[in-house]
Amino acid sequence: MRILLFILLSFPAFAQNKDWKYLQGSIDSCIANNIPYFNIGYSKYTTDLPLIECKWDSARNRYVPFTFALVGWSTMWDVGGISQITYTGKDGFALGIHLGKGCTVQGINFQGKFQSPKMTDAQFFQSTFQAYGDTSCRNQPYSPHAGIVIDPFRDVAPPDGGYPMLQKYYRGKGGTGGSTGFTIDNCTFNNFTVGLIFSPNGQTANCELMSVSNIRLYNGKAGIVGCQAQEKSMKLSNINCWGRTH
């Protein structure tokens, strides 16, 4: 009976880890072999760790640019999770992309763990941005609980300590170059402190020439956030919000 109970209690964690291994392994393999495209298919995935797109050059001790498209079959109107990634952690992100050039994220329904506080509509509209939120989810300026983080890392941990489980990714030669020229289309960001955030690490710039379109936001502290002054030629269109998001 004790053995059976252990198996039953452990199975959900095993299933989540299995999904993460499959997705992260596919991403790593594609980027390492210069395969620029991966479709997650008509599936729902649950991950307990953040998914990360990056390319590390150990010989030069630095991150190097890459191009990659992570796509699914969802649209912004998908409420049934056609191509869905649920991140069960509260102190990380569903997807991080570091120093990508011309990357694409399309047709993916991202689900997080943020819960809007219980309040009336009047109380919500009278609330302040600083006070509003889910205190159980990470709400740090350089490392918030988020759906997608563009350029989450830097050479050393930022002033807020950075993402707790991702300390090994704060490494390499410091530099100000960041991501450029992304397309993010037909994605949903449900229940995150921040749906989509650009270069929160406090060191890199760029994050320019980005096209973000056909986005559905639901329940969060902030929908889409920019963090530095070099973000230019940014096109955001058809951004729709349901639930409570400041």
Side-chain angles (χ1 to χ4, degrees):
M1 179 61 69
R2 292 179 180 175
I3 294 175
L4 177 59
L5 181 61
F6 173 79
I7 292 173
L8 290 175
L9 290 175
S10 300
F11 181 76
F14 171 77
Q16 293 175 24
N17 194 44
K18 182 179 179 181
D19 285 352
W20 179 85
K21 284 184 177 180
Y22 169 69
L23 291 173
Q24 189 63 61
S26 299
I27 291 169
D28 291 344
S29 178
C30 287
I31 292 176
N33 292 284
N34 296 317
I35 300 171
Y37 176 91
F38 177 67
N39 193 317
I40 70 171
Y42 296 93
S43 300
K44 294 182 180 181
Y45 299 94
T46 301
T47 69
D48 51 359
L49 293 171
L51 295 169
I52 299 171
E53 297 178 17
C54 67
K55 191 169 186 177
W56 176 255
D57 187 333
S58 57
R60 291 191 286 172
N61 189 36
R62 63 183 299 175
Y63 290 102
V64 293
F66 66 96
T67 300
F68 184 66
L70 186 68
V71 302
W73 297 106
S74 287
T75 70
M76 64 174 292
W77 300 113
D78 165 31
V79 295
I82 296 172
S83 299
Q84 181 173 295
I85 296 175
T86 298
Y87 172 58
T88 61
K90 292 188 173 184
D91 55 359
F93 47 76
L95 176 66
I97 307 174
H98 194 73
L99 199 58
K101 300 293 183 180
C103 291
T104 295
V105 183
Q106 182 175 6
I108 299 179
N109 186 318
F110 293 98
Q111 301 284 329
K113 301 300 289 184
F114 180 99
Q115 294 296 314
S116 175
K118 292 182 179 180
M119 58 176 63
T120 66
D121 290 344
Q123 289 172 329
F124 170 71
F125 284 108
Q126 292 169 7
S127 67
T128 64
F129 179 75
Q130 289 76 16
Y132 175 75
D134 179 350
T135 57
S136 72
C137 290
R138 189 169 179 83
N139 181 31
Q140 298 298 319
Y142 298 90
S143 53
H145 173 58
I148 295 180
V149 181
I150 308 301
D151 295 337
F153 308 123
R154 54 190 276 180
D155 57 344
V156 296
D160 66 4
Y163 288 104
M165 79 296 286
L166 300 176
Q167 293 301 301
K168 68 179 182 180
Y169 288 92
Y170 295 96
R171 58 181 175 173
K173 295 179 179 179
T176 59
S179 296
T180 306
F182 281 22
T183 297
I184 300 174
D185 178 63
N186 270 299
C187 289
T188 292
F189 302 107
N190 276 12
N191 301 317
F192 291 99
T193 303
V194 180
L196 168 64
I197 187 167
F198 295 99
S199 55
N201 64 62
Q203 183 180 72
T204 65
N206 294 116
C207 266
E208 57 199 4
L209 302 169
M210 304 289 193
S211 175
V212 182
S213 59
N214 302 314
I215 302 298
R216 181 163 65 97
L217 303 165
Y218 178 82
N219 277 358
K221 188 177 179 73
I224 299 174
V225 174
C227 299
Q228 42 84 21
Q230 194 174 324
E231 296 170 18
K232 57 183 181 292
S233 297
M234 307 282 279
K235 181 180 180 182
L236 280 69
S237 62
N238 201 22
I239 311 298
N240 298 268
C241 184
W242 284 261
R244 295 172 176 153
T245 302
H246 266 270

